[in-house]
Structures are given as C-alpha cells and as structure tokens.
Amino acid sequence: TEVGIVLAPDDKVDDIPPFSFPGKLLAFLWQRYQAFGGSKDSGMVIVPTELIPGNGTLLKSIVNELARKNQLPLPFIEWLNVANDFCNSLVDRIVPGKIPAAEQTAVAAELGYEDKLMVMAEFFGLWAIETSSTRSRQLLSFSTAHPGIHLVDDITKFRELKLRLLNGSHNLSCALGYLAGFTTVKEAMADKDFDAWMQGLILDDIAAAILSDLITKEDARAFGLSVLNRYRNPHIDFQWLDICVQDTSKIRIRAVPIIVQHYERYGSVPRHVSMGMAAYILFMRSTRDSTDSSSSPENEGSFIGHLGGRTYPINDDFAADLHDKWQQTSLPAVVDSIFADKRLWGTDLTNLQGFTDDVVFYADNLDRHGFFRTLSLQPLSLNEQKNS
C-alpha cells in the first residue's frame, strides 16, 4: 500500500527478512549483485504501483539510503543506480473486490469452471510506466497485451489527467451529489440533470483549466469522456459520503490547482467549480456531537453534518476549523474566512476576483432551494454587480 515505500532506518540487509519493503528489495538486489558478479545485464526493471507521485524515484532514494546505512560497497551502489531501472508508474483501475456469491455462481456457470480468485473490476484500465531505457521497454513486453498500458518517457500527462479530471471532479462533486439527495454516484449519473452538470464540470471547466504543452484539448476530452463513462457504471457503488472523507485535504491537492490555473488563464473561476465549492462549504457546516448522551466515548466531540434533511458524520481532519468558521454572523463572512485561510488551501482564494461572491451566491441558493432549482440560476457578473 501507499505506506509501504518508507524508510526503516534500522533495517539490516542480512535480517531474515528485513522489516520494510525497501529493505527486502535491497537484500534481494545485494544477493543478485553477488550471484552475477555485478554484471550490468543482471540489473532489474523495478515498477512500484503505489499511488504516490514519483513512486519509483522515492523507492530508489530509500534503497540507496539503506545501502549506505548498511555500509555496502561502492561498486554495488554504482550497480544499483546504473544497472537497475526504477520506473515511476501510475495505475488507474477500480477493483471493488470479490463478486457477490449469486453473481459468482452465475458467472461460473457461464464460463464452465469455478474460479475462487475471481474479482470484480471496471472495464477501464490505465498503467503508465515511465522509462527511457530501450532495454526496459523490451523487458516489459507485457505492455503490448493491453491498450491501457503505456511505456513513456514522462508520465506527467497521465498523472495530471487522472488527478484533475477523475480525482478533482470527484471532490468537486461529492458534496453536491449528496446535497442533491443521491447516495451513490451511479444514482446521480442516472439523473439527466446531474449527468449534464458533471459533463459541464469535466469537459468544460476542468478540461479548459489543465490545457498545457503536454495536454491538448483532444487529450482532455478523451480522458474526460472515459471518466464520465466510469461514473455511469451501473455495477459499481461509489458512496458519495465515502468520497467526502478528508475532502478538505483532497480539494487542496486535487482541485485548488484547477481553480488557480483556470483563473490565471481566463480571469475567472467557472460556475460548476464554484457550485461544487459552495456545496463543500455547506457540507462542512456542523454541530458537535459531544452533547449527545447516546454517543460512545470514542465519538465524543465528533462533528455531525445536516444537509438536505439528512444527518451524517464529517470525517475530515479540518472539521473543527470549518465548524469554528461557521460561527461567523453571515454566509459571506463564512465563505470569506474559509477561502482566506492559507493553512487550508496553501493560498488565499479571496484574491481570485469574483470567486467568493459566486460561491456565496451558489451556497445561499443551494441551501434555500436545493440543487435542481439552483441549476438554472447564474450569479451576476462583476460589471452587472457594479451597475445594480
């Protein structure tokens, strides 16, 4: 998992086995180096799949540090860095897990055999592997077996497409999907109005924000359409509340760059993004659970949200901060306080002219009228505000 690529400074190469995964990998490479006499051809192609940026680069740095801590000879460290190719990679495929028993029986009957390791996965699959080595590309010959596998010199484009169009749209829509009365993504996408809103968010707002020397309009549209098809998958139950977990941190990483890039390029933050942020702010309005005598001791002091007639737990490290900000006397003051907090976003979002006003407009209407009535409403432009 993501926590696997970490430095365990006390790992010993001769432990049986070393504690960490990098330690185990180092022990294997040390034995391989000795077995093949340091032959350059004996180097490995190493492709970690943890969902962290620069996973191969990070793994290589930790293995190198452990090699030095274990005082392994310099010729080995040179072989480690020259003969081996640590490839950054990005995997993108949702695998919900084991198929329900009744469906598994039906599939077994269709196939004519029983497979006890059968799992459910979405049709879409992407594996981008970063390498400029001709030798590595030859060794990774499985890459020709699936159109979703890409051996490229730089995976930045794939990471940006996934992080913004998939992950970013998730966290700009999850609170809104829940506010609209839907429990799962597939329920929301079965509604034509919500589906149309998601198309606007992904194909118009986000796609326009991420265009660059690496990402063309065609790249963004093709990946965006694949994301929409994944959201419409009737066989996978994405729970909106699950997506909302730690939403503040996810928005900072996934969505704030979209907001800033769009503003820098076009001078505004688009309406779908503003509405998504407005829904997030409403979602984070909470009451403390500490006064509830039925609460268990471990839940005492937790934060409970109330939205669209439903009550839900807020699982977010910044729940207390947002709770305090909601004690402001007016909605504009609440939004202004939230957006000005650099600790939340890494920047002051109130500097984006018109953004705070638009979010206040959408938050007010979503709160009073709900999602569907708010869809047809547009905030006044800056010029219209000045003349009204």
Side-chain angles (χ1 to χ4, degrees):
T1 65
E2 281 63 43
V3 298
I5 302 184
V6 292
L7 173 66
D10 296 329
D11 247 357
K12 299 294 187 291
V13 74
D14 53 356
D15 286 346
I16 306 176
F19 171 74
S20 68
F21 169 68
K24 293 178 174 68
L25 177 59
L26 175 63
F28 164 74
L29 292 174
W30 171 232
Q31 291 295 325
R32 185 173 180 86
Y33 170 81
Q34 296 174 88
F36 288 93
S39 163
K40 186 177 180 180
D41 291 338
S42 63
M44 301 294 295
V45 181
I46 299 157
V47 189
T49 56
E50 287 80 2
L51 294 176
I52 51 178
N55 47 18
T57 302
L58 177 61
L59 179 59
K60 181 178 181 178
S61 69
I62 294 173
V63 171
N64 268 274
E65 186 167 351
L66 284 176
R68 291 190 293 270
K69 286 181 177 294
N70 279 267
Q71 298 181 334
L72 295 176
L74 288 176
F76 165 73
I77 294 179
E78 182 181 1
W79 174 87
L80 174 66
N81 289 285
V82 173
N84 296 274
D85 190 8
F86 289 77
C87 304
N88 293 320
S89 78
L90 174 70
V91 175
D92 184 11
R93 193 179 208 181
I94 296 164
V95 184
K98 190 175 181 180
I99 299 176
E103 291 183 36
Q104 188 160 355
T105 300
V107 172
E110 181 181 348
L111 295 176
Y113 60 88
E114 183 181 11
D115 181 357
K116 293 186 178 180
L117 298 179
M118 189 184 299
V119 295
M120 181 188 300
E122 65 172 336
F123 183 78
F124 178 89
L126 168 68
W127 192 6
I129 301 172
E130 185 176 281
T131 181
S132 56
S133 165
T134 301
R135 173 177 179 266
S136 295
R137 293 184 181 218
Q138 292 172 346
L139 289 172
L140 299 176
S141 57
F142 62 81
S143 62
T144 61
H146 192 282
I149 303 174
H150 303 268
L151 303 185
V152 293
D153 291 342
D154 186 350
I155 64 170
T156 301
K157 179 176 81 170
F158 294 96
R159 185 174 65 243
E160 191 71 3
L161 287 169
K162 175 183 182 293
L163 191 61
R164 308 304 171 206
L165 290 166
L166 177 69
N167 302 130
S169 66
H170 253 155
N171 293 100
L172 285 169
S173 64
C174 55
L176 193 65
Y178 189 78
L179 181 150
F182 302 110
T183 301
T184 65
V185 175
K186 72 176 183 181
E187 290 175 358
M189 296 301 289
D191 180 273
K192 63 179 180 61
D193 290 326
F194 195 90
D195 187 293
W197 186 88
M198 287 293 287
Q199 290 183 55
L201 173 67
I202 293 171
L203 300 180
D204 297 333
D205 292 3
I206 300 178
I210 65 174
L211 298 180
S212 68
D213 293 340
L214 286 176
I215 299 175
T216 66
K217 289 182 179 180
E218 293 73 21
D219 291 332
R221 181 168 180 82
F223 196 89
L225 289 171
S226 74
V227 169
L228 288 164
N229 287 332
R230 297 167 75 182
Y231 286 170
R232 295 173 184 136
N233 190 332
H235 303 291
I236 298 180
D237 287 324
F238 291 118
Q239 302 285 321
W240 283 124
L241 285 182
D242 290 342
I243 301 171
C244 286
V245 171
Q246 300 297 348
D247 207 18
T248 305
S249 297
K250 292 175 182 176
I251 287 174
R252 173 175 177 162
I253 295 169
R254 301 171 176 183
V256 168
I258 295 169
I259 294 169
V260 173
Q261 286 168 209
H262 196 284
Y263 185 85
E264 290 176 346
R265 185 183 292 266
Y266 307 105
S268 65
V269 179
R271 67 182 293 263
H272 298 90
V273 172
S274 296
M275 194 183 298
M277 289 298 290
Y280 154 78
I281 289 173
L282 292 175
F283 183 89
M284 295 299 292
R285 180 175 53 189
S286 65
T287 56
R288 287 185 181 271
D289 197 31
S290 56
T291 57
D292 184 355
S293 59
S294 64
S295 295
S296 57
E298 62 269 20
N299 289 329
E300 189 172 351
S302 59
F303 294 90
I304 303 299
H306 308 272
L307 195 62
R310 293 189 284 181
T311 300
Y312 50 91
I314 296 178
N315 297 308
D316 194 298
D317 288 344
F318 294 96
D321 298 82
L322 273 293
H323 174 83
D324 292 342
K325 293 180 185 301
W326 263 105
Q327 307 313 306
Q328 304 283 340
T329 56
S330 67
L331 180 59
V334 171
V335 175
D336 196 69
S337 175
I338 292 171
F339 280 176
D341 194 337
K342 292 183 180 180
R343 196 169 64 89
L344 296 179
W345 315 117
T347 187
D348 184 346
L349 294 176
T350 62
N351 290 330
L352 309 184
Q353 192 175 17
F355 182 40
T356 301
D357 291 338
D358 286 357
V359 170
V360 169
F361 172 85
Y362 283 121
D364 178 48
N365 282 283
L366 286 169
D367 200 27
R368 290 191 294 125
H369 306 304
F371 169 73
F372 293 100
R373 286 184 62 187
T374 303
L375 275 179
S376 60
L377 302 177
Q378 292 270 17
L380 295 175
S381 68
L382 290 175
N383 289 332
E384 289 171 330
Q385 291 177 34
K386 291 175 184 177
N387 296 328
S388 63

